[in-house]
Amino acid sequence: DVKVTQSSRYLVKRTGEKVFLECVQDMDHENMFWYRQDPGLGLRLIYFSYDVKMKEKGDIPEGYSVSREKKERFSLILESASTNQTSMYLCASSTSGQGGKLFFGSGTQLSVL
Amino acid sequence: QKEVEQNSGPLSVPEGAIASLNCTYSDRGSQSFFWYRQYSGKSPELIMSIYSNGDKEDGRFTAQLNKASQYVSLLIRDSQPSDSATYLCAVNWDDSSASKIIFGSGTRLSIRP
């Protein structure tokens, strides 16, 4: 089974803190994604990576950055957390040529106070 | 602006009946289509994919695609209480890039005993 592991299930941070969300996949997938999910807004793509050290902005990249130093690991960074970044963050991976077949991690519910 | 539209529900269906979930999309050039199931508090999981016009069956699930009408649907036969979940429609409008996937905001399905 494909496994996508997110480091934290719940996280509470203060406004202005730097926040790191970690994601690891064990299936040697080329593509990795970070989404946020908010009620009524669905899943929105923050950043996407199709290879080590490669990244592409999604629909809502403002206030976020990413890092992919190894193929299996994709990190999302909130440089200075704000209350409007309170959300469920979902990491996903897929293999090349199977772009729409995403495997999701269990999610991190981030609350910024 | 490319969009994927779903009725948010809740859609209430008696146990044993057929549940019909619908999705429309705005980009006529969209190439691949997916249905994800998301249980409350869990992450989405892929249940069906469809790429050409017509029906695709997998067990109790049937995906239907009509590209001329820009319409994709999911039928669940012999609905079970375990089918109660939110169903997300996803459309990939450019198969050359895995990042070009747009999700609908989901339809909440409730199967009543």
Side-chain angles (χ1 to χ4, degrees):
Chain A
D1 273 357
V2 174
K3 194 158 186 184
V4 180
T5 303
Q6 293 185 231
S7 53
S8 304
R9 186 70 179 96
Y10 299 97
L11 213 50
V12 179
K13 296 293 182 180
R14 297 284 181 190
T15 302
E17 279 193 77
K18 191 168 186 176
V19 181
F20 293 85
L21 302 182
E22 306 287 343
C23 175
V24 178
Q25 52 96 1
D26 66 358
M27 285 304 292
D28 203 34
H29 283 173
E30 294 80 13
N31 304 319
M32 295 190 75
F33 309 76
W34 276 106
Y35 288 91
R36 64 178 282 178
Q37 186 173 31
D38 301 287
L41 296 178
L43 283 161
R44 293 180 291 167
L45 181 64
I46 305 171
Y47 265 99
F48 160 63
S49 170
Y50 54 91
D51 202 351
V52 175
K53 298 191 185 296
M54 306 304 288
K55 61 186 179 185
E56 192 176 298
K57 291 181 180 179
D59 300 316
I60 50 165
E62 296 78 17
Y64 303 95
S65 62
V66 290
S67 171
R68 194 170 181 197
E69 297 296 319
K70 293 185 178 181
K71 190 175 185 179
E72 66 271 19
R73 187 179 296 271
F74 192 35
S75 303
L76 180 69
I77 304 151
L78 286 67
E79 297 289 344
S80 177
S82 63
T83 55
N84 63 12
Q85 292 178 310
T86 291
S87 185
M88 170 65 79
Y89 289 87
L90 290 163
C91 176
S93 71
S94 73
T95 190
S96 291
Q98 300 275 323
K101 295 185 176 181
L102 302 179
F103 294 87
F104 285 89
S106 55
T108 296
Q109 179 62 53
L110 173 67
S111 297
V112 183
L113 306 178
Chain B
Q1 180 81 4
K2 300 184 192 303
E3 293 181 336
V4 176
E5 300 283 346
Q6 295 181 257
N7 189 318
S8 62
L11 175 65
S12 182
V13 173
E15 185 175 355
I18 296 175
S20 178
L21 302 159
N22 304 316
C23 172
T24 59
Y25 57 94
S26 62
D27 181 47
R28 189 170 288 277
S30 295
Q31 299 175 348
S32 50
F33 308 85
F34 307 88
W35 284 99
Y36 286 80
R37 178 177 62 201
Q38 186 173 23
Y39 291 115
S40 180
K42 302 293 186 182
S43 56
E45 61 174 326
L46 179 68
I47 55 171
M48 290 288 287
S49 57
I50 187 166
Y51 303 95
S52 54
N53 279 329
D55 294 0
K56 179 181 177 182
E57 189 174 315
D58 184 0
R60 295 187 296 112
F61 298 98
T62 299
Q64 299 177 317
L65 175 61
N66 184 328
K67 288 188 176 182
S69 300
Q70 295 172 238
Y71 179 95
V72 57
S73 64
L74 179 70
L75 302 178
I76 306 175
R77 289 183 299 283
D78 188 23
S79 296
Q80 303 296 311
S82 59
D83 296 325
S84 296
T86 296
Y87 289 80
L88 305 175
C89 174
V91 176
N92 192 349
W93 57 270
D94 181 358
D95 277 348
S96 67
S97 172
S99 66
K100 308 303 182 187
I101 300 164
I102 300 174
F103 284 85
S105 56
T107 298
R108 191 154 54 95
L109 175 65
S110 177
I111 307 300
R112 58 181 191 271

